[in-house]
Amino acid sequence: MDALDRKLLRDFRRLWAQALAIALVLACGVAILMTTFGMYQALNETRAAYYERNRFADLFAQTRRAPLTLMPEIRAIEGVYAVEPRVTGAAILTIPGRAENAVGRILSLPASGPPTLNEPILRSGRYPDPGAANEVMVNEPFARANGFALGDTFEANLNGSLRPLTITGTFLSPEFIYTIGPGALMPDNEGFGILMMPEPAVAAAFDMSGAFNSVSLKLTASARPEAVKDALDRILEPYGGLGAYDRIRQESHAFIDAEIKQLRSMSVILPPIFFGISAFLVNMVIGRIVMLERSEIGLMKAIGYSDTTVLTHYVLLAVLIAVGGLAVGWPMGSWLTFLLARLYAQFFDFPFLIFTMSYEPYVVSGVLALLTAALGAAQSALRAARMPPAVAMLPPAPPRFRRSMTDRLLQFLRLSQPVMMILRSLMRWPLRSFLNALGLALAVAILVSSSFFTDAMEEIIDSAFYQSNRQDAILLLSGDIKETALEEVRRLPGVMQAEGQLSALAILRNGHLSKHVPIEARRAGADLARIVDGDGHPREAPGHGILLAERLAAQLDLQPGETVEIEFLTGRRETVEVTVAGTVPQYFGLGAYMDFEALNALFRQTPQITMAHVTLDSAADTEFHAAVQDLPKLVSTIMLTDTRSGFQDTIEQNIGYMTTIYIVIASLITIGVAYNGARIQLSERARELASLRILGFSRGEVSFILVGETMLLALLAQPLGWLIGAGIAKAAVEGFTSDLYRIPLVLKPDTFAKASIVVLIAALVAALVVRRRLDNLDLVAAMKTRE
Amino acid sequence: MTETIFRTEGLTKVYDTGTVKIHALAGVDLELFSGELAVLLGPSGSGKSTLLNILGGLDHATAGRVWFRDLELTGLGDRGLTRFRRDHVGFVFQFYNLVASLTARENVQLVTDVSPNPMNPAEALELVGLGHRMDHFPAEMSGGEQQRVAIARAIAKRPEVLLCDEPTGALDSKTGVQVLEALRDVNERFGTTTAVITHNAAIRKMAHRVIRFQDGRISAVEVNKTRIAPAEIEW
Ligand SMILES: Nc1ncnc2c1ncn2[C@@H]1O[C@H](COP(=O)(O)OP(=O)(O)OP(=O)(O)O)[C@@H](O)[C@H]1O
Ligand SMILES: [Mg+2]
């Protein structure tokens, strides 16, 4: 080994603590990049491959009932590559050994064999016999959650007739990577299943012979989706078409897409913070070393080492730090990716593994980590390379301290000598002090924004699950039912309160802007399902006109007092114009509300409902579930109590994980910045501090200077960190608003306090570790060092 | 002792500090001969180090010319000077300039790694009487020992010239003598042209020639008829 290489390794070993502190910050960046980028890539590619292989459709449309004779016309639309009609329906299922009903979504299988679009993957067993009326295949997660084996039987209420169904196989489908029941807020594989049955049996049960109510289209590469959508809508309009939609509004696709987008933006936003801080720390450390090694650099040059060799020598030192970062970051990233993949496996059903860690995340994060370190070292290494050999022989000129206004102020304040030393040193390197403070501020900001997300999430949950929806269950009813049917619901065993709701799917239009939403109408004074605004105050739908969620009004560019065109997609499918009576700030969903009487009057009907909200006596659970099945026209029951506790558990667990991870990350950043800052300070001032000791200052007084400077910087960093954190929160509020939800800007005082406490403690620990070195300072050696 | 190793012609070095121009060298004409041991004497600030730095290719002259044998140093760029230093010159500095994280042997190896025809590092250390301290770090050695490591490092490449800037400046008389003995030894054994800057006028007695500096110029050159051994120098 060359002597220069040996020097490199020895220097690195001597620097281990500082290198480790930097490597850990870098490792966070590497791990987060690997996890987000790796997972983004894995999800994206797995999904693309799955869609491709199983021909996931591009366009979808539902209708009330359309004749199959429309098929040639639909096929003839320009840009349509393939079309597949089918019959879909819903069924209440009675699962042996389960008290509550499950809900099944029924899809017809073509008589000719497997579907050509959205082809399911058979996971076990076989397709149902095309002629059989009682055979189904079910989605694998549903079978697994309920412990079904092939050949098992359960009972289904198919459009009013109870029928035993035998499971012949299990499948996964590109349409149901993410499966969520109607109206549910969380996936529930036990309570919601996808059932595929031969077309003749489904058509017979739902009175759809020779007809279809759902159609999927695959487009050619050159097709214009909007034009196809319009053409399809025109064809289906007379048959109760509910409007064609593309993948973005397909539920499963939309959820995965949101996740993929979030991963992508995280992979772009978060890692640069860590890489930036690492580069700054590398810059500080290498800069100090180059300063200390001037005479060594001069010597290397005097004996004939080239500029390039010198440059490489110092860059390599930084590269070793990066290698350390990768040694920690790669396994950490692999582990986090594995955890995340496991989490995704709970929510997403893919036929193949998502956790196929490719080499790419390793390569990308590796290259970026090395570049970060090299860039961080570049400035100082170049300075070393450019030092003329003769000048490098001289000791560095002592830093110039100038008397300034602030100095006079300091004198005026009659500060003690140590305090003066701290302040002077901060002002001697203003840029460095600022960057140090910025690093610490970012740690604070990370904590502030992470607990902001937690608080915001809790507020959304509280508003959506507890304030707006206080019912225990929702009974979804098919077709319009007279409000008087509520009496029947009230008589069900265990039902304590029941309130009706009329929901009408409609397209709201204002000029060229339009939005598909359900309009909800409840009687005034409804207590179970309520309209609650952002401040938690309940609101009533106005007697006239329509009340819109603020986000919906904004998307349609509507102000209160203006008129909105409503095209109802159910009932008589009329188009009416209604005044916007007001807007209500809401976090969840795109709500549109009308008065119960007013909406029924618009439909020119005696009051009707499409769903009932109920509260239940938990003691009569079993009786309720047994009885509710016999309710005519019941489509499904949504148990909110289960959803709430399930959701709460999941959220709390995830929040627990995230909070821990963020605290670790913020502490690592703080320690990385504070430790290196203090070490460099100690190195620059060893002589000065030793002189103070020799002059009779105590260990405590001397270390006060060192710890004091670090802590003063940390304190100064707090307001900056709060500001940045609040800024991130604000940006998130603006950036994350989607159709699904809006994030409330919740910034509690204890969010800031907790963030500051974590960072100040971590900074103090770092400073005290360096203080121990100071305590062991060899006075003689420190005075001997030439400088 | 007739071959000329270094030759300078009107060598000038001006430092421009902004307010004043300092003429560190104000026209130096000098020749150094093969195998000679020259001592450079002169008051502080008279330009000795400046001259040595330019001869060794560490610095550029402002005006005038310098030749190493037939090679004109004043015509070389940084790359050429680096090559020149690597192939021909050994340096010894007042403050040793050892790399703290390398042992004595490794400090010598730093030079032998990049020179075309080096000694074995152990051999070079034996020559300066440090065979037994080879694996010690600089911090574990006395000043004189460190300076002898620096000499070993300088001679290990078998340089044609050895340039020493106050090699004994930081040493007491006993260790100073050891260092001077090592230098003379190398000079005699290998015929290495050696230039030594010193403030200690007594050292001049061990030289072949003594070159005196004053205000950036050579004020006198003396040839010693008889030389004395370093041990006889009165410090
Ligand atoms: N980098 C520099 N910038 C400005 N002036 C310089 C620089 N280096 C040297 N000088 C000046 O040039 C003159 C000659 O310096 P030099 O170092 O050659 O003197 P010296 O004879 O070696 O003195 P000493 O015996 O004290 O080492 C001095 O006046 C010195 O101040
Ligand atoms: Mg000098």
Side-chain angles (χ1 to χ4, degrees):
Chain A
M1 203 193 321
D2 281 359
L4 205 57
D5 297 336
R6 214 166 275 156
K7 167 176 181 316
L8 183 65
L9 292 181
R10 292 233 177 89
D11 287 349
F12 181 63
R13 213 163 54 200
R14 186 170 47 85
L15 275 176
W16 73 268
Q18 278 170 280
L20 180 70
I22 301 174
L24 287 177
V25 176
L26 194 59
C28 286
V30 167
I32 291 175
L33 180 70
M34 271 178 76
T35 313
T36 52
F37 173 74
M39 222 50 220
Y40 159 73
Q41 217 189 12
L43 264 186
N44 208 16
E45 280 169 11
T46 311
R47 184 182 68 166
Y50 193 15
Y51 282 0
E52 173 84 35
R53 235 185 276 177
N54 293 57
R55 292 179 300 281
F56 182 55
D58 297 312
L59 277 188
F60 308 84
Q62 323 296 330
T63 77
R64 182 168 294 248
R65 186 180 200 282
L68 283 170
T69 49
L70 292 178
M71 275 306 118
E73 206 182 329
I74 297 177
R75 264 190 204 106
I77 299 174
E78 197 187 323
V80 171
Y81 176 74
V83 184
E84 190 155 72
R86 63 186 174 188
V87 179
T88 67
I92 300 289
L93 314 176
T94 313
I95 313 276
R98 185 181 141 99
E100 291 162 29
N101 296 314
V103 176
R105 182 158 145 78
I106 309 229
L107 302 177
S108 69
L109 287 166
S112 50
T116 46
L117 298 183
N118 311 318
E119 189 192 342
I121 287 183
L122 202 56
R123 300 288 287 176
S124 67
R126 59 168 175 85
Y127 272 69
D129 180 346
N134 296 333
E135 290 189 359
V136 284
M137 57 181 197
V138 302
N139 62 324
E140 192 181 29
F142 176 65
R144 199 177 286 157
N146 284 293
F148 286 138
L150 296 182
D152 281 357
T153 299
F154 58 87
E155 200 169 65
N157 181 339
L158 290 179
N159 205 21
S161 72
L162 289 178
R163 196 188 293 182
L165 296 176
T166 304
I167 299 172
T168 64
T170 61
F171 68 86
L172 288 174
S173 156
E175 267 185 293
F176 300 101
I177 298 174
Y178 182 84
T179 321
I180 187 164
L185 292 155
M186 283 280 291
D188 171 18
N189 287 326
E190 206 180 330
F192 179 69
I194 313 294
L195 280 51
M196 290 199 181
M197 285 178 76
E199 199 263 348
V202 183
F206 290 94
D207 192 20
M208 285 275 174
S209 296
F212 66 91
N213 60 7
S214 163
V215 61
S216 311
L217 282 74
K218 188 115 194 99
L219 306 184
T220 59
S222 59
R224 289 185 302 127
E226 288 309 312
V228 179
K229 249 194 257 181
D230 288 347
L232 184 62
D233 280 347
R234 269 196 304 277
I235 296 171
L236 295 179
E237 226 253 44
Y239 305 96
L242 293 177
Y245 55 92
D246 46 28
R247 287 178 174 179
I248 284 303
R249 278 191 50 216
Q250 203 270 344
E251 206 158 51
S252 159
H253 179 89
F255 267 94
I256 303 171
D257 219 53
E259 198 59 40
I260 288 177
K261 286 205 180 105
Q262 199 184 334
L263 284 173
R264 195 184 48 194
S265 46
M266 271 169 66
S267 76
V268 178
I269 296 167
L270 282 180
I273 296 181
F274 294 91
F275 288 132
I277 294 178
S278 309
F280 162 64
L281 294 178
V282 167
N283 179 284
M284 230 169 45
V285 170
I286 304 289
R288 178 63 191 157
I289 289 173
V290 165
M291 191 118 90
L292 282 179
E293 291 190 353
R294 277 171 81 102
S295 68
E296 266 129 319
I297 294 165
L299 170 92
M300 287 196 269
K301 299 206 146 179
I303 59 185
Y305 282 92
S306 70
D307 292 1
T308 328
T309 313
V310 173
L311 181 83
T312 319
H313 179 68
Y314 289 100
V315 170
L316 276 180
L317 189 57
V319 164
L320 281 181
I321 296 178
V323 169
L326 289 174
V328 182
W330 276 345
M332 194 159 120
S334 309
W335 181 67
L336 279 178
T337 310
F338 169 75
L339 279 188
L340 194 61
R342 213 172 53 178
L343 188 71
Y344 281 160
Q346 281 177 23
F347 292 103
F348 297 139
D349 304 312
F350 281 103
F352 22 83
L353 270 185
I354 346 177
F355 186 63
T356 46
M357 200 65 171
S358 76
Y359 63 94
E360 274 173 71
Y362 291 96
V363 173
V364 172
S365 58
V367 168
L368 283 179
L370 293 178
L371 269 180
T372 297
L375 277 179
Q379 192 203 3
S380 307
L382 273 174
R383 189 148 44 83
R386 287 212 197 103
M387 275 183 199
V391 170
M393 291 288 140
L394 309 169
R400 224 175 277 170
F401 283 87
R402 262 174 308 203
R403 300 200 145 261
S404 61
M405 288 290 286
T406 35
D407 250 337
R408 247 166 264 152
L409 181 71
L410 291 182
Q411 253 162 17
F412 178 74
L413 291 175
R414 294 176 178 281
L415 297 168
S416 72
Q417 220 47 38
V419 173
M420 194 86 105
M421 286 176 73
I422 290 175
L423 294 178
R424 283 234 180 92
S425 143
L426 285 184
M427 288 185 292
R428 174 181 359 159
W429 310 104
L431 181 65
R432 189 173 83 186
S433 303
F434 171 73
L435 288 176
N436 259 316
L438 184 65
L440 298 173
L442 284 174
V444 177
I446 283 177
L447 289 172
V448 167
S449 51
S450 89
S451 50
F452 149 72
F453 276 111
T454 311
D455 293 344
M457 195 61 98
E458 268 170 6
E459 182 131 345
I460 292 178
I461 292 169
D462 184 60
S463 173
F465 285 10
Y466 294 95
Q467 303 304 322
S468 306
N469 290 292
R470 309 202 286 189
Q471 68 279 52
D472 294 328
I474 302 173
L475 308 182
L476 296 179
L477 308 167
S478 77
D480 299 344
I481 294 187
K482 295 225 159 50
E483 195 190 12
T484 46
L486 269 182
E487 280 313 310
E488 222 173 308
V489 173
R490 288 204 180 94
R491 280 199 298 274
L492 289 172
V495 170
M496 302 195 297
Q497 274 171 287
E499 289 176 358
Q501 177 178 322
L502 176 61
S503 284
L505 194 61
I507 300 175
L508 268 51
R509 284 205 184 84
N510 179 34
H512 66 284
L513 300 169
S514 69
K515 208 79 203 174
H516 253 87
V517 290
I519 297 178
E520 297 176 12
R522 290 179 289 263
R523 284 211 173 269
D527 193 42
L528 299 183
R530 306 186 302 168
I531 309 168
V532 174
D533 69 17
D535 297 328
H537 301 303
R539 294 269 294 264
E540 289 290 347
H544 298 282
I546 188 166
L547 177 68
L548 300 180
E550 245 173 33
R551 256 167 322 123
L552 180 57
Q555 286 182 18
L556 291 171
D557 192 22
L558 283 168
Q559 307 288 332
E562 293 179 344
T563 308
V564 58
E565 182 189 295
I566 303 178
E567 179 188 344
F568 289 104
L569 297 174
T570 55
R572 295 196 188 82
R573 303 177 62 86
E574 288 169 323
T575 300
V576 296
E577 297 212 324
V578 171
T579 313
V580 179
T583 59
V584 51
Q586 278 186 321
Y587 304 133
F588 210 72
L590 291 175
Y593 310 96
M594 288 180 78
D595 180 62
F596 186 71
E597 302 263 333
L599 186 58
N600 275 299
L602 262 186
F603 288 154
R604 297 189 299 282
Q605 62 190 16
T606 50
Q608 293 189 347
I609 57 173
T610 53
M611 62 177 75
H613 305 286
V614 298
T615 50
L616 300 172
D617 174 4
S618 55
D621 218 28
T622 325
E623 290 89 334
F624 169 76
H625 285 287
V628 76
Q629 294 178 78
D630 300 331
L631 205 63
K633 303 271 187 181
L634 177 71
V635 176
S636 80
T637 9
I638 301 164
M639 297 302 299
L640 285 180
T641 32
D642 296 355
T643 313
R644 281 191 196 111
S645 59
F647 199 76
Q648 198 75 8
D649 286 352
T650 315
I651 294 277
E652 261 161 30
Q653 194 187 10
N654 285 345
I655 283 176
Y657 274 138
M658 293 316 279
T659 309
T660 317
I661 288 177
Y662 281 118
I663 287 183
V664 169
I665 283 176
S667 306
L668 288 181
I669 291 184
T670 308
I671 290 174
V673 173
Y675 181 76
N676 273 300
R679 278 299 300 271
I680 282 169
Q681 236 198 93
L682 176 61
S683 142
E684 282 170 359
R685 295 179 148 190
R687 201 189 174 95
E688 201 173 276
L689 298 178
S691 326
L692 286 182
R693 286 290 314 284
I694 290 165
L695 288 178
F697 280 76
S698 72
R699 284 213 162 102
E701 283 165 324
V702 171
S703 54
F704 167 77
I705 297 172
L706 187 83
V707 178
E709 182 169 333
T710 304
M711 293 317 286
L712 181 63
L713 267 181
L715 277 176
L716 290 176
Q718 300 307 316
L720 186 60
W722 297 337
L723 261 168
I724 299 175
I728 294 176
K730 215 154 167 251
V733 166
E734 276 155 27
F736 284 176
T737 298
S738 71
D739 274 13
L740 281 175
Y741 54 86
R742 173 174 76 89
I743 298 181
L745 186 61
V746 221
L747 288 170
K748 303 179 182 166
D750 64 327
T751 292
F752 296 108
K754 274 186 216 152
S756 292
I757 289 172
V758 170
V759 169
L760 288 175
I761 289 180
L764 187 63
V765 169
L768 288 179
V769 171
V770 179
R771 189 205 130 123
R772 287 207 5 217
R773 290 184 160 264
L774 180 60
D775 287 346
N776 300 331
L777 192 66
D778 178 346
L779 297 184
V780 182
M783 293 310 292
K784 256 197 207 163
T785 44
R786 189 165 71 89
E787 224 190 307
Chain B
M1 217 197 268
T2 44
E3 196 190 352
T4 308
I5 296 291
F6 278 114
R7 188 155 66 83
T8 73
E9 225 178 68
L11 193 61
T12 309
K13 177 76 181 178
V14 183
Y15 288 109
D16 194 348
T17 60
T19 43
V20 281
K21 286 197 165 85
I22 298 168
H23 287 258
L25 293 178
V28 172
D29 301 306
L30 173 73
E31 280 184 308
L32 286 181
F33 303 109
S34 162
E36 82 167 326
L37 194 160
V39 162
L40 276 65
L41 279 176
S44 185
S46 57
K48 307 179 293 293
S49 297
T50 307
L51 175 69
L52 214 64
N53 286 347
I54 294 175
L55 290 183
L58 289 179
D59 208 351
H60 294 280
T62 311
R65 304 171 80 183
V66 185
W67 287 267
F68 171 75
R69 298 187 194 280
D70 294 331
L71 179 69
E72 185 180 347
L73 298 183
T74 29
L76 293 178
D78 277 340
R79 203 176 282 268
L81 285 179
T82 301
R83 247 231 95 78
F84 161 68
R85 292 197 299 266
R86 180 191 301 202
D87 295 345
H88 305 288
V89 193
F91 286 100
V92 178
F93 304 103
Q94 180 178 359
F95 294 107
Y96 335 132
N97 285 60
L98 296 185
V99 174
S101 56
L102 295 180
T103 61
R105 187 210 303 265
E106 289 158 356
N107 262 290
V108 177
Q109 202 194 328
L110 207 51
V111 166
T112 58
D113 279 345
V114 292
S115 44
N117 178 31
M119 293 181 204
N120 184 333
E123 190 188 333
L125 285 164
E126 293 287 358
L127 276 175
V128 295
L130 283 176
H132 58 297
R133 306 293 308 261
M134 266 184 301
D135 293 318
H136 289 225
F137 283 96
E140 298 162 350
M141 287 186 275
S142 75
E145 284 164 340
Q146 291 186 49
Q147 190 60 298
R148 281 187 283 157
V149 173
I151 292 173
R153 187 175 61 187
I155 62 172
K157 65 157 83 157
R158 305 185 202 278
E160 283 150 274
V161 291
L162 197 53
L163 304 177
C164 314
D165 195 346
E166 301 185 38
T168 58
L171 304 175
D172 65 27
S173 62
K174 187 162 156 278
T175 39
V177 166
Q178 286 173 344
V179 165
L180 292 176
E181 264 168 353
L183 286 177
R184 194 195 53 173
D185 209 36
V186 170
N187 172 255
E188 278 174 6
R189 203 187 291 211
F190 302 107
T192 312
T193 307
T194 306
V196 180
I197 294 180
T198 181
H199 277 175
N200 186 339
I203 292 178
R204 74 176 191 278
K205 290 180 187 152
M206 67 177 271
H208 294 112
R209 281 201 302 161
V210 179
I211 298 160
R212 289 184 185 273
F213 265 74
Q214 188 75 50
D215 298 330
R217 283 175 227 274
I218 294 174
S219 58
V221 177
E222 305 152 13
V223 178
N224 280 337
K225 297 232 171 52
T226 52
R227 296 164 62 209
I228 61 168
E232 301 162 41
I233 290 173
E234 289 162 32
W235 215 265

